[in-house]
Amino acid sequence: MDDWITCAGWEDGPVQLAPDGTMTLDGTSYPQSAAIDDLDVGNIRLSKPAGEGQILTLKDPRHTAWFKHEGDGWLVKSDDPQRHAALRQQAGMPPVLGPSQALPPQVEASGPYPEAPYPLPGEQQQRTNTWGVVAAIAVVAFVVLVSLFVLREPLKQWAEVRTVQEEKNLVQAQAEVLRETKEAEYQALETAIVQAHTEATEKLEGLRDASRRLEADFKKVVGFSLERIVGSPDDTPDEVDFLVVTDESFLAAWNQILNAHVGPSQFDANRKILAEIRQRIDEKQLTEADRTALKDLQYSIEEEQEQLKAQTDNIRFVRTALVRHRLEGRSP
């Protein structure tokens, strides 16, 4: 069965084929371009290569049918003659006549025919026309052969030019595919970096707030700013120096507070990193190094944030120790 039958759509139990090419198989919808790899639906097995217009094969224990989507409908044929004939009749197509259904040749009435020793009228003209056709064919064949011989070199050059053009087209197509691939990869990289940049900016602001709270608490307890003590250790109050020497617990808490300090220069450096990456985002010049830099920056900010949170107990310990020292009136 080589003839295809046109139908708008198809529905056979769990198999439904829509006019727009959509395939619904056992309740699951597939686009026309989908590949179907030996899918069993009831007693039917379906298969189809990937790509639009590819043939969908349906096999059941009785017959095999093929479907192909074209335009706004489907083409169908079956290896079962009876089912194929039923499909043709359903589509309004005339039935295909078998050998036993062929019309009998027309036979003239029998009877004696007179002998014709001489050519019938027009028979000589028919023979002349036949020889003329043969001669014309021979002339055309000769001209074609001569043309091929004469045009052999130009045809060869044309073939070479065509080959070069096809290779050029192939290179251009490959370059286009590579360009589209790189664009997709860059888009994914840009999306990830923009999100990471936003998160790092928010975390840096949170770190700045936590640093300011520690600075305020420290100054309230010690009487000097944390920035000043870290920048100039000689400005440390005498009572703090005394407790650092005489109380190991105080020394440990004091050092942890100083180490948790995040100075303005560190904030400036982090903001510079974010500003440079922001510029590369705007200029479409991002690289994997930017993603790595943001990852490292977020990790550093998170660690510093944890250290700042941990200073609440240390500030409380330092305050208690200084109050007790002042009440006891120790030297200095």
Side-chain angles (χ1 to χ4, degrees):
M1 300 292 178
D2 294 330
D3 54 326
W4 291 87
I5 301 167
T6 303
C7 62
W10 177 266
E11 182 173 357
D12 185 5
V15 179
Q16 300 174 9
L17 306 179
D20 62 354
T22 303
M23 303 172 292
T24 302
L25 311 177
D26 199 22
T28 301
S29 181
Y30 297 86
Q32 173 58 205
S33 59
I36 309 298
D37 188 11
D38 291 336
L39 175 64
D40 291 328
V41 178
N43 62 345
I44 299 175
R45 170 161 291 188
L46 303 100
S47 60
K48 173 186 173 296
E52 297 187 0
Q54 297 294 331
I55 294 177
L56 173 66
T57 303
L58 279 74
K59 291 185 178 181
D60 64 19
R62 296 173 299 171
H63 76 288
T64 300
W66 298 271
F67 296 82
K68 179 169 60 175
H69 185 262
E70 286 188 4
D72 295 328
W74 289 82
L75 301 179
V76 57
K77 64 180 180 179
S78 172
D79 61 353
D80 184 354
Q82 294 182 355
R83 188 172 185 118
H84 194 79
L87 292 173
R88 288 181 61 88
Q89 182 178 2
Q90 183 179 357
M93 300 175 63
V96 179
L97 298 178
S100 62
Q101 298 173 306
L103 296 175
Q106 296 182 355
V107 181
E108 296 182 356
S110 60
Y113 294 93
E115 295 182 0
Y118 301 102
L120 296 174
E123 183 177 349
Q124 185 65 36
Q125 181 66 31
Q126 183 179 1
R127 293 178 180 176
T128 302
N129 293 341
T130 301
W131 282 108
V133 172
V134 173
I137 293 175
V139 171
V140 171
F142 177 76
V143 172
V144 171
L145 291 175
V146 172
S147 300
L148 289 175
F149 179 78
V150 174
L151 298 175
R152 178 179 57 183
E153 193 63 28
L155 288 174
K156 180 180 178 181
Q157 295 177 359
W158 175 82
E160 292 176 351
V161 171
R162 183 177 178 84
T163 300
V164 172
Q165 184 62 39
E166 290 177 350
E167 292 176 351
K168 182 179 179 180
N169 293 341
L170 178 60
V171 171
Q172 291 177 346
Q174 292 174 342
E176 181 66 16
V177 171
L178 181 61
R179 183 188 65 80
E180 292 177 353
T181 301
K182 287 184 177 181
E183 286 183 355
E185 292 175 349
Y186 185 86
Q187 185 63 39
L189 176 65
E190 183 182 51
T191 300
I193 288 179
V194 168
Q195 181 178 355
H197 186 277
T198 301
E199 294 174 355
T201 301
E202 293 175 352
K203 289 182 178 180
L204 185 60
E205 289 303 314
L207 180 65
R208 182 61 178 167
D209 293 340
S211 179
R212 287 171 177 169
R213 287 194 297 271
L214 177 62
E215 177 73 28
D217 293 342
F218 183 88
K219 188 173 183 179
K220 184 176 180 181
V221 171
V222 179
F224 292 87
S225 70
L226 180 58
E227 180 71 24
R228 176 182 174 181
I229 298 298
V230 171
S232 180
D234 292 339
D235 292 339
T236 303
D238 293 340
E239 58 184 354
V240 171
D241 288 335
F242 178 79
L243 289 172
V244 164
V245 174
T246 59
D247 190 338
E248 293 184 358
S249 298
F250 184 91
L251 173 62
W254 182 260
N255 286 337
Q256 290 178 23
I257 294 173
L258 298 183
N259 292 332
H261 171 70
V262 183
S265 61
Q266 182 63 42
F267 283 106
D268 291 341
N270 292 340
R271 291 193 185 97
K272 182 180 179 182
I273 293 174
L274 292 173
E276 291 174 349
I277 294 177
R278 179 72 260 177
Q279 182 177 357
R280 284 193 287 275
I281 291 174
D282 297 337
E283 295 175 353
K284 301 292 184 180
Q285 294 181 355
L286 295 171
T287 65
E288 281 291 340
D290 295 312
R291 182 175 5 212
T292 301
L294 283 172
K295 183 179 179 181
D296 293 342
L297 178 59
Q298 288 194 49
Y299 180 77
S300 174
I301 293 174
E302 290 170 357
E303 280 195 331
E304 291 168 345
Q305 185 74 273
E306 290 298 321
Q307 289 183 7
L308 288 174
K309 290 180 180 179
Q311 302 315 308
T312 301
D313 293 338
N314 290 329
I315 287 290
R316 185 182 301 111
F317 182 85
V318 169
R319 182 194 306 112
T320 301
L322 288 174
V323 170
R324 183 174 61 250
H325 175 78
R326 292 163 185 165
L327 291 175
E328 293 175 354
R330 297 181 181 177
S331 296

